[in-house]
Amino acid sequence: MRDFRYHRPADVAEAVALLDAEPEAAYLAGGTNLVDLMKLGVQRPDLLVDVTRLPLDTVEPLPGGGLRIGATVRNSDLAAHPVVRRDHPLLARALLAGASGQLRNMATTAGNLLQRTRCVYFQDTGKACNKREPGTGCAARHGQNRDLAILGWSEFCVATHPSDLAVALVALDAVVEAHDPGGAREIPLTELHRTPGLHPERETTLPRGALITAVRIPPLLFARRSTYLKVRDRATFAFAVGSVAAALDLAGDVVRDIRLAYGAVAHRPWRAYRAEEALRGRPFTAELAARAADAELAAARPLEHNEFKVPLIRNLTVRALTELARAVSR
Ligand code: SF4
């Protein structure tokens, strides 16, 4: 591992100024991803700016049922928060589906959103990877791509985003609050992560040096009827092969409103707008849910080893929405 300097800033302004002044600095929060990548030589910051002692670790219920989650709230604390468990169960389920208890005790809200892909070639400095080293190629495009993207990929990168939490937050129309050298800004979570295009090394729309300070969830009363389903190769401590975050609002048997997002299918959490549109205003049936998923997945371009993800996501959609519909009607 490359030698590095360490600094603990007094406030957000000092943290942002440090990143602005030091081109090879990086923010350190829980370190559960960054430190691994430093050991592998994939990331080589020469200064770590430790933001874990900044006062960004509270969960605040907002008027009308919204929620403001500080950037350094630990994943375990957020999953156990009584308001999250009552009003946004998909968040608690997404968090508890991720990593291990020990990692959740360390990992933070913002760190979870900004974690890097688990594409095996990205983590292997001996392999071609446009994300790690722009212009070197993509070893996964015709290599081990079973776990990688079916939607929105480019010839430059077929990686997926590994966060479970991000999928749930995208479904909830969450907004990221951040500070950068230009001041404060807000970014809808649906616009935070990029598709790879020609530049997979650019993973988010955050400006250089920006520090996420909080994530805000707008009021959504029917989020109390929400869920997160994740398929993975092991029952615990494994990244998703596919996942679905869903919230459903029924009036009788008619879909009054819905939120739906997919994970482990693209370079960013995938909000399933087409599927939502196909469901809204129609009587709910499992067959309708399957047709809605098909409408979303019509744009899928599976790779050599991951065609199975298309029926997997369709079946997860049907299961998640059917379970929610049954819960509503009870
Ligand atoms: Fe690198 Fe992306 Fe290709 Fe994986 S899929 S090898 S991260 S460029």
Side-chain angles (χ1 to χ4, degrees):
M1 187 196 287
R2 177 189 190 186
D3 289 348
F4 59 88
R5 293 168 292 136
Y6 172 90
H7 185 76
R8 192 181 286 163
D11 51 31
V12 168
E14 186 190 356
V16 170
L18 273 168
L19 262 280
D20 192 34
E22 303 255 3
E24 294 192 54
Y27 292 123
L28 174 70
T32 55
N33 187 208
L34 174 62
V35 175
D36 280 352
L37 293 174
M38 289 170 66
K39 290 178 188 167
L40 292 168
V42 173
Q43 283 191 244
R44 296 164 50 81
D46 68 353
L47 171 65
L48 291 184
V49 178
D50 183 349
V51 297
T52 53
R53 308 293 174 94
L54 299 179
L56 304 172
D57 61 348
T58 54
V59 179
E60 302 165 50
L62 299 175
L67 204 61
R68 187 171 183 275
I69 305 163
T72 61
V73 172
R74 306 284 175 174
N75 289 179
S76 295
D77 293 336
L78 185 58
H81 196 285
V83 175
V84 171
R85 288 163 58 99
R86 184 192 65 200
D87 293 347
H88 302 93
L90 79 172
L91 277 188
R93 287 181 187 165
L95 286 161
L96 293 174
S100 64
Q102 292 91 336
L103 285 168
R104 291 193 294 270
N105 288 343
M106 289 296 293
T108 63
T109 302
N112 190 314
L113 300 182
L114 298 180
Q115 62 183 300
R116 312 294 303 276
T117 183
R118 266 38 178 214
C119 172
V120 292
Y121 302 106
F122 173 70
Q123 300 186 359
D124 182 343
T125 54
K127 297 292 192 302
C129 174
N130 287 323
K131 183 183 288 297
R132 181 172 25 77
E133 276 184 64
T136 57
C138 173
R141 175 68 183 88
H142 298 289
Q144 288 183 37
N145 51 39
R146 169 187 179 269
D147 293 341
L148 302 184
I150 57 172
L151 288 161
W153 54 267
S154 75
E155 290 296 331
F156 287 76
C157 181
V158 293
T160 50
H161 195 272
S163 169
D164 296 297
L165 175 64
V167 182
L169 288 172
V170 158
L172 292 171
D173 290 316
V175 174
V176 162
E177 299 176 11
H179 279 72
D180 63 68
R185 67 174 66 225
E186 297 191 348
I187 303 173
L189 216 106
T190 48
E191 296 170 19
L192 177 67
H193 299 95
R194 300 175 71 252
T195 46
L198 302 177
H199 292 285
E201 75 280 9
R202 296 181 201 157
E203 295 179 336
T204 74
T205 54
L206 287 169
R208 157 80 198 153
L211 177 68
I212 294 179
T213 51
V215 176
R216 206 174 62 244
I217 300 173
L220 187 72
L221 291 181
F222 71 89
R224 287 191 175 192
R225 291 180 295 273
S226 63
T227 194
Y228 183 78
L229 298 184
K230 172 176 176 176
V231 170
R232 47 189 158 171
D233 288 330
R234 289 192 305 261
T236 186
F237 199 5
F239 292 94
V241 174
S243 68
V244 170
L248 182 64
D249 183 22
L250 289 182
D253 66 344
V254 173
V255 178
R256 185 159 44 198
D257 208 350
I258 180 164
R259 300 287 184 277
L260 196 59
Y262 297 153
V265 295
H267 198 257
R268 58 178 170 83
W270 193 269
R271 180 71 179 267
Y273 289 115
R274 283 197 189 92
E276 289 179 4
E277 206 45 51
L279 283 151
R280 216 170 264 126
R282 296 188 168 84
F284 179 80
T285 63
E287 292 71 27
L288 178 67
R291 285 203 304 278
D294 285 342
E296 190 69 46
L297 294 164
R301 292 179 297 142
L303 303 167
E304 189 180 355
H305 302 297
N306 69 6
E307 205 162 347
F308 72 96
K309 283 197 178 192
V310 175
L312 175 77
I313 294 293
R314 181 197 302 122
N315 293 342
L316 274 180
T317 306
V318 173
R319 198 176 118 202
L321 295 179
T322 303
E323 285 177 8
L324 289 174
R326 284 196 190 122
V328 172
S329 60
R330 270 204 293 269

